[in-house]
Amino acid sequence: MTKFLSHPWVLFLLLLAQPMVRADGFNLDWARENQAHIVMKLSPEQITTVGRERKLILTDSQRRTLSKFTKKEPRILGVESIGEPDCGCCISSVFWTATNEVTIWIERLVDDEERNNWYYEVRHKAGYYTVDAEGQLYAAGKHLSWEQFERSVLASEDGKYIHLSLPPEGPEDFTARVKQLKTKNPYFRTKL
């Protein structure tokens, strides 16, 4: 067996197969092809609220649309950004997939009626930050300067993670600042 594993082709094949066996993340393209969903356009007010709090307050028309899929018409839905989920099992039914739209996964909406609020309520805990489409930072729905955010990240202690939720299409200069800051503290979690 050892002789077999030491063969160069075996190592090459194992390295090639590695990404296929990992169970990480959520794949938007795959989900859009294989899972029932609807895409909802957002009003300017909804874009602001989703960016600031990751909370979607539905209009009456949007609620009627969703009532076709679920017994209980939701008034508010928690929203995740594309890079947030660590796995495909515990994700929100609503993803902010473009500045002016969200994608709602029908099965998750039906199965997750009770837990959906968690996705915006968690944003009120210490260490959770959101960024809107214009690159403005928020903590618990309140505006935060870059300097305040940077101080929080750099002061975070071992084991206390900083979670930053980015917009689907953010300003490039902001993303560059986040990348640079991320190299300074391993407890700063965000997917770029």
Side-chain angles (χ1 to χ4, degrees), residues 24 60 112 128 132 172:
D24 58 346
D60 289 340
D112 211 13
Y128 281 81
D132 68 12
E172 287 181 25

Side-chain angles (χ1 to χ4, degrees), residues 40 56-78 93-94 104 109-110 112-114 116-117:
M40 269 190 188
L56 175 59
I57 302 169
L58 297 164
T59 65
D60 289 340
S61 172
Q62 290 168 332
R63 288 182 68 217
R64 280 192 298 276
T65 298
L66 292 181
S67 72
K68 298 172 189 170
F69 306 105
T70 182
K71 295 175 204 160
K72 186 178 170 187
E73 290 180 22
R75 292 191 178 282
I76 300 173
L77 294 172
S93 57
V94 185
I104 301 175
L109 178 68
V110 172
D112 211 13
E113 290 177 359
E114 298 302 316
N116 207 329
N117 297 355

Side-chain angles (χ1 to χ4, degrees), residues 96 99 131-136 166-176:
W96 192 16
T99 299
V131 179
D132 68 12
E134 295 167 4
Q136 298 297 312
L166 297 170
E169 304 153 346
E172 287 181 25
D173 61 330
F174 183 84
T175 304

Side-chain angles (χ1 to χ4, degrees), residues 74-105:
R75 292 191 178 282
I76 300 173
L77 294 172
V79 180
E80 269 190 299
S81 297
I82 292 299
E84 286 189 271
D86 291 329
C87 69
C89 58
C90 298
I91 64 173
S92 174
S93 57
V94 185
F95 271 76
W96 192 16
T97 49
T99 299
N100 67 341
E101 74 178 30
V102 293
T103 300
I104 301 175
W105 310 107

